[in-house]
Amino acid sequence: MHKSLCLLLPLLFASACTQPSDSSWDTVVDAGFRGRPGAEVAGVPCYPSLSQALAAAPAGDTPWRVLMRKGRYHEKVRVDRANLHLLGESREETILSFDACGDTPAPDGTTLGTRGSATLTIQAPGFFAERMTIENNFDYPANALRADTDPAKIAHSQAVAVMIAAGSDRTTFIDCVISGFQDTLFPDAGRALFSKCRILGHVDFIFGAGQALFEACEIVSRDRPGKNPTGYITAPSTPASYPYGFLFLDCRLLKETPELPRGSVRLGRPWHPQGDLTVSGSAVFLHCWMDDHIGPEGYAAIGATDSSGRKLSFEIEPDSRFFEFGSHGPGTLASPARPRLTAEAAAWYTREQLLRGWKP
């Protein structure tokens, strides 16, 4: 963040929508604002919801800077404007939240599906978010406790917090919390950077076809009582033509609670959407600290159904590119099921190589 912004933040956060006019912000979003949406306070338009602020944003590629105050914003947001910049007042107390899942009814009478369940969907380049929480708070644990014969039980419990979709590129999240259970984070297109973020989930909770760099992030596995494995951290569907998929640099792989069983979590499995044979998922972990929930098996196979209805199974080899180098911590176990890179090969997995000329 620019030094000038750091100096202004205490003043800007002093009171709801009453800060002095400042050219650093184009609008302010405040859950507690009770005035007319878009009314100016000290020269700055204010809105009670992010959706209303985005609807009023001018077209064009000029960065549009939105200050989001503390509060819980229960809304489902789609970003199709380039260069939207969001800054939250507090990482833990500025919360964008929704509770849709794959089986949530859609307006056309079908269901939303995994892609449609996202709390935040990004479909434009240059998106930037800092110091806020984006969550999908669909109650997966409560649903899992329902008997299979219970008509209220939801079958498709995928619930995305953040989806990076077609049209996006150069997406940045700094010091954010991204929270969910199954399918939390879906970077499916373009290049993305996650720096000093905390990402929570259990089943395939970082998945998709995009190229994403995770720097100094906390990757937090949640428990699924009674299940073994309890979860899978990644499910990349990287096109085979792309040399990089998900790259984790200096991250910490943690467990949310001490009760998460030892060795019960896999680092990933090779997702092939609709049995796509042109996919070769890539997830590489360099110099990451791993707690003891990471097991010697490392990875798992995954099933898929192709367009003809044929059932397929994809193994780690030769159907994916999962590697480690420099792992440390109690979850670091020598095992032939956990492929290691040589130092020479690891040197090819860098920030610069994955971002391909983009300098956030």
Side-chain angles (χ1 to χ4, degrees):
M1 183 183 297
H2 294 297
K3 182 178 179 181
S4 61
L5 295 187
C6 293
L7 294 173
L8 285 166
L9 284 176
L11 181 61
L12 290 174
F13 293 151
S15 60
C17 269
T18 59
Q19 76 284 354
S21 178
D22 174 69
S23 60
S24 296
W25 311 111
D26 295 298
T27 193
V28 172
V29 175
D30 184 347
F33 181 59
R34 296 295 178 263
R36 176 180 55 81
E40 292 191 359
V41 178
V44 180
C46 292
Y47 296 88
S49 76
L50 178 58
S51 298
Q52 289 173 314
L54 293 183
D61 294 333
T62 303
W64 185 255
R65 297 152 297 189
V66 179
L67 176 65
M68 293 189 67
R69 293 202 175 278
K70 294 178 184 178
R72 178 173 290 274
Y73 301 87
H74 182 75
E75 48 185 315
K76 205 169 183 299
V77 175
R78 185 176 299 272
V79 175
D80 56 11
R81 186 202 190 278
N83 298 315
L84 175 69
H85 294 185
L86 303 181
L87 177 66
E89 184 177 359
S90 164
R91 189 177 88 156
E92 279 72 31
E93 296 177 88
T94 302
I95 304 168
L96 180 64
S97 177
F98 207 74
D99 54 1
C101 71
D103 274 350
T104 297
D108 63 0
T110 62
T111 56
L112 291 177
T114 301
R115 294 172 181 272
S117 70
T119 299
L120 174 65
T121 299
I122 302 159
Q123 294 181 302
F127 176 86
F128 178 96
E130 183 174 6
R131 203 166 55 244
M132 61 185 299
T133 291
I134 304 99
E135 68 176 17
N136 189 311
N137 68 348
F138 167 72
D139 197 345
Y140 184 106
N143 185 64
L145 290 174
R146 295 180 184 274
D148 291 341
T149 56
D150 186 342
K153 184 163 187 173
I154 291 172
H156 298 97
S157 52
Q158 300 88 343
V160 177
V162 172
M163 178 168 187
I164 303 174
S168 65
D169 190 33
R170 306 185 313 279
T171 300
T172 305
F173 286 86
I174 306 291
D175 193 26
C176 289
V177 176
I178 302 173
S179 178
F181 291 92
Q182 181 175 359
D183 293 359
T184 302
L185 174 58
F186 194 177
D188 201 44
R191 295 164 292 176
L193 169 65
F194 299 85
S195 179
K196 299 179 182 178
C197 292
R198 182 175 176 87
I199 304 165
L200 301 94
H202 50 41
V203 176
D204 303 335
F205 66 98
I206 302 174
F207 71 112
Q211 289 72 62
L213 173 63
F214 300 85
E215 287 185 330
C217 291
E218 293 182 341
I219 311 299
V220 184
S221 290
R222 294 178 139 168
D223 201 358
R224 283 195 307 157
K227 299 291 186 179
N228 187 20
T230 57
Y232 314 88
I233 293 174
T234 65
S237 56
T238 320
S241 59
Y242 281 72
Y244 304 101
F246 299 158
L247 178 57
F248 298 84
L249 296 179
D250 301 308
C251 292
R252 292 175 60 81
L253 277 55
L254 308 174
K255 49 187 182 181
E256 185 179 38
T257 63
E259 292 74 28
L260 185 64
R262 184 185 185 95
S264 67
V265 172
R266 307 293 180 260
L267 291 169
R269 52 183 184 169
W271 183 37
H272 287 64
Q274 298 181 317
D276 187 351
L277 299 179
T278 68
V279 163
S280 178
S282 175
V284 177
F285 300 83
L286 297 187
H287 308 294
C288 293
W289 188 92
M290 303 182 181
D291 209 338
D292 66 6
H293 59 303
I294 306 299
E297 296 86 349
Y299 305 91
I302 192 170
T305 303
D306 68 12
S307 57
S308 69
R310 181 178 51 158
K311 300 289 186 181
L312 303 172
S313 179
F314 295 95
E315 304 291 335
I316 298 306
E317 295 181 322
D319 299 318
S320 62
R321 294 166 287 170
F322 288 102
F323 301 107
E324 294 175 64
F325 181 79
S327 300
H328 51 291
T332 304
L333 304 169
S335 166
R338 290 174 60 169
R340 296 305 205 265
L341 292 170
T342 64
E344 183 180 27
W348 287 96
Y349 290 91
T350 66
R351 181 186 221 265
E352 292 73 22
Q353 292 277 32
L354 186 142
L355 297 181
R356 306 192 314 278
W358 171 39
K359 297 180 180 180

